[in-house]
Amino acid sequence: IVMTQSPLFLPVTPGEPVSISCKSSQSLLNNNGYYFDWYLQKPGQSPQLLIYFGSRRASGVPARFSGSVSGTDFTLKISRVEAEDVGIYYCMQGLQPPFTFGPGTKVEIK
Amino acid sequence: EVQLVVSGGGLVQPGGSLRLSCAVSGFTFNFYEMNWVRQAPGSGPESVAYISNSGSVIYYADSVKGRFTISRDDAKNSLYLQMNSLRVEDTAVYYCARKSSYDGREYHYNGMDVWGQGTTVTVSS
């Protein structure tokens, strides 16, 4: 399963909304949900789970992060981006192992 | 506290072998699927090996198939990755990651919700 993301680079202004898109090459629907995740990797750290099952926020993730799904199109939204949100955002399909990641969206402060 | 601690990385010559270990604590290990994910310098993550909670289902990325072996020892709460015939292109930070769980009645899709700190594998002559 191939995952594509856009944009690949995203300069942001603190306080503004942000949207990142990901598309899977086939349906990730299973068990009434989507086997699809969003991860954030901050510099020098392991990736951390933000959103799983398409739209569920992981434990401890701020409410400004949300995920939505429309068929094979997935969107991560940050309602008001903060300086601590910089890093690379990856989408991942968790349906068929080996699981595949998107190329990543690098988010930086303008 | 839920924790994954990875060890075993290092410098190895092409054609050599390494064994990575991931010691887990703070959760019921045999409920969870586990993965090895690597990240080459300047690249995104690549899932290279998967093992089901029972150990009966295993998958590998094509890039490592036939050379890497994933295994788990539930009695020791440990996950392993045996890496043979190492190539320069295997150079990466290797992470172990916990994925979904099966409690004997129900499957819970959790994403890769816990990651180890990573260990660096460098393959070079």
Side-chain angles (χ1 to χ4, degrees):
Chain A
I1 300 175
V2 178
M3 308 298 290
T4 55
Q5 274 182 251
S6 63
L8 299 184
F9 179 69
L10 187 56
V12 301
T13 301
E16 294 295 309
V18 166
S19 180
I20 299 172
S21 298
C22 181
K23 186 175 182 67
S24 60
S25 62
Q26 66 186 71
S27 175
L28 303 180
L29 182 63
N30 195 25
N31 291 336
N32 297 317
Y34 293 87
Y35 283 24
F36 174 90
D37 315 316
W38 287 103
Y39 298 85
L40 167 61
Q41 187 171 31
K42 297 182 179 181
Q45 296 185 15
S46 305
Q48 60 185 87
L49 179 66
L50 295 176
I51 302 289
Y52 68 100
F53 217 39
S55 59
R56 295 182 181 177
R57 259 192 317 277
S59 177
V61 174
R64 63 181 181 274
F65 291 91
S66 65
S68 62
V69 184
S70 176
T72 58
D73 294 309
F74 302 83
T75 304
L76 175 71
K77 291 185 178 179
I78 310 174
S79 57
R80 287 179 300 278
V81 70
E82 298 186 5
E84 66 181 25
D85 300 334
V86 299
I88 304 178
Y89 289 78
Y90 296 99
C91 60
M92 190 200 85
Q93 66 85 11
L95 181 65
Q96 291 182 8
F99 311 110
T100 43
F101 292 83
T105 295
K106 188 172 186 179
V107 172
E108 291 186 349
I109 300 295
K110 283 183 183 175
Chain B
E1 180 190 5
V2 174
Q3 202 170 8
L4 306 178
V5 178
V6 186
S7 60
L11 174 63
V12 62
Q13 291 188 338
S17 298
L18 276 178
R19 188 193 196 207
L20 306 184
S21 297
C22 173
V24 316
S25 58
F27 63 96
T28 306
F29 184 48
N30 63 8
F31 278 11
Y32 286 85
E33 303 172 340
M34 297 296 296
N35 299 267
W36 286 100
V37 178
R38 70 182 181 185
Q39 190 166 25
S43 297
E46 176 191 18
S47 178
V48 296
Y50 158 91
I51 187 167
S52 64
N53 67 307
S54 66
S56 61
V57 179
I58 287 174
Y59 287 97
Y60 298 99
D62 288 343
S63 56
V64 307
K65 202 173 294 182
R67 300 186 298 120
F68 289 13
T69 302
I70 187 172
S71 63
R72 62 190 299 157
D73 185 335
D74 292 346
K76 294 184 178 179
N77 282 345
S78 292
L79 177 74
Y80 305 101
L81 185 68
Q82 178 66 43
M83 304 186 294
N84 298 331
S85 302
L86 282 161
R87 305 168 180 169
V88 171
E89 55 264 36
D90 295 319
T91 295
V93 176
Y94 285 73
Y95 302 97
C96 62
R98 185 180 86 169
K99 196 172 171 283
S100 306
S101 63
Y102 180 71
D103 61 11
R105 293 179 294 112
E106 192 175 357
Y107 181 81
H108 303 275
Y109 183 80
N110 306 319
M112 291 189 188
D113 63 342
V114 182
W115 293 64
Q117 84 284 10
T119 189
T120 300
V121 172
T122 303
V123 185
S124 174
S125 54

